Amino acid sequence: MRRLSRLATALLGVAAVTLAAACDSGAPSIDITDSGPPVDTNASFPAGSTMQRLHDAGKITIGTKFDQPLFGLKNPVTGRPEGFDAEMGKLIAARLGIPADHIDWVETVSANREPFVQQGRVDAVIATYTINDQRKEIINFAGPYYIAGQSLMVRSGNPAKIASPDDVAGKNVCAVEGSASSSNMRKRVPGAHVVLFDSYSKCAEALKNGQVAAMTTDNTILGGLRSLDEGAFELVPGTFTEEPYGIGIAKERTDFARFVDDTLRAAFADGAWSAAWDRTAGRILGPAPAHPDLDRY
Ligand code: GLU
């Protein structure tokens, strides 16, 4: 983790310097600013709704990952997370009339996402968060806004010769506590020794050090970690699950879940969703795919 986060810090430092240089010379630059999408200054909501409460407060608390490149990676200079999940949060805030710099970002690791939503510590969780029946029993989901798939990552050169999930039987595979990836792996290969950490950056470190033969989670997360440490890892081709990413919201806040669905629907239609993808995850994972269908419509 330490080494990866130092690397991330170094890379972001370089990006910031490059950006500043690009701005000075008038050259085109990548958007790593936190200005966010245009804020809806005329936003108005039904009295007593969750949206009105957030709008009147002028701020929203969003849980996301802080160590996942492309989706939620904390910028050490601004202290704010950057990536596709963070962009989804900014779109929701903007439609509530809240500027991006009034979002209160809270780190959520895989295992504390449901508790943070249930305890009201966050208004929403946007964190590579798979919608599934078990989670739907205790919280609401808006979305999906992306469909990922679970895969495996190994050390460069693939020393353990892992070509499919079945090849991890009898081997140590790193996964994260409270993730769908860990339960999917156990179900798919009961003979795998699943080693649990609380974050994916720690798994990547264990993989790099040779403590585990592979790590497993969504292809999106693996692709991001690999991009941060190019020579160290390779992805095993193919996926073996579907992981529809949703936005976690408290069970009783159905009004807000509907509002977030409407926000996503608008962003699918006006190009804001694909533009957000292209300037974040799309830089490594390729152009935006067709948007998924929302569950509620
Ligand atoms: N999408 C999976 C999940 O929600 C794995 C990724 C993660 O842990 O964030 O559990």
Side-chain angles (χ1 to χ4, degrees), residues 65 68 110 113 127-130 135 176 178-181 200 217-218 221 243 245:
K65 301 293 183 76
Q68 287 182 196
S110 299
R113 292 174 295 189
T128 56
Y129 200 7
T130 297
R135 292 171 178 165
V176 164
S179 67
S181 325
Y200 290 104
T217 186
D218 304 338
I221 298 172
E243 308 295 327
Y245 286 174

Side-chain angles (χ1 to χ4, degrees), residues 26-230:
S29 60
I30 55 166
D31 177 15
I32 60 163
T33 66
D34 203 36
S35 55
V39 173
D40 184 354
T41 45
N42 295 321
S44 75
F45 302 101
S49 64
T50 305
M51 292 75 80
Q52 190 199 34
R53 185 178 61 70
L54 293 169
H55 173 259
D56 290 354
K59 72 180 189 78
I60 180 169
T61 305
I62 300 179
T64 194
K65 301 293 183 76
F66 276 11
D67 69 337
Q68 287 182 196
L70 310 184
F71 285 80
L73 182 65
K74 189 173 175 177
N75 178 317
V77 179
T78 64
R80 297 204 177 96
E82 292 172 347
F84 188 54
D85 283 342
E87 293 303 307
M88 294 298 103
K90 292 178 197 173
L91 285 173
I92 295 162
R95 209 150 175 264
L96 288 165
I98 301 171
D101 60 357
H102 287 210
I103 300 172
D104 194 2
W105 296 103
V106 169
E107 180 175 22
T108 46
V109 293
S110 299
N112 65 20
R113 292 174 295 189
E114 289 94 284
F116 274 31
V117 168
Q118 288 179 297
Q119 294 158 11
R121 290 173 71 162
V122 294
D123 297 302
V125 164
I126 315 176
T128 56
Y129 200 7
T130 297
I131 303 172
N132 64 31
D133 289 344
Q134 207 185 336
R135 292 171 178 165
K136 272 205 286 201
E137 276 178 20
I138 51 175
I139 64 164
N140 252 311
F141 279 102
Y145 61 93
Y146 186 77
I147 314 279
Q150 187 165 341
S151 194
L152 286 154
M153 187 162 81
V154 295
R155 269 188 307 288
S156 273
N158 197 357
K161 304 267 168 289
I162 293 167
S164 82
D166 300 325
D167 295 338
V168 301
K171 299 197 169 78
N172 288 337
V173 187
C174 195
V176 164
E177 279 156 15
S179 67
S181 325
S182 59
S183 37
N184 292 340
M185 189 76 243
R186 286 204 178 95
K187 247 178 265 154
R188 170 71 200 251
V189 187
H193 301 146
V194 179
V195 177
L196 294 176
F197 284 97
D198 64 3
S199 70
Y200 290 104
S201 46
K202 288 182 189 164
C203 266
E205 192 72 5
L207 177 59
K208 203 169 165 180
N209 293 341
Q211 292 165 314
V212 294
M215 69 178 280
T216 186
T217 186
D218 304 338
N219 52 354
T220 45
I221 298 172
L222 297 174
L225 288 167
R226 183 178 170 276
S227 74
L228 211 58
D229 205 344
E230 282 280 344

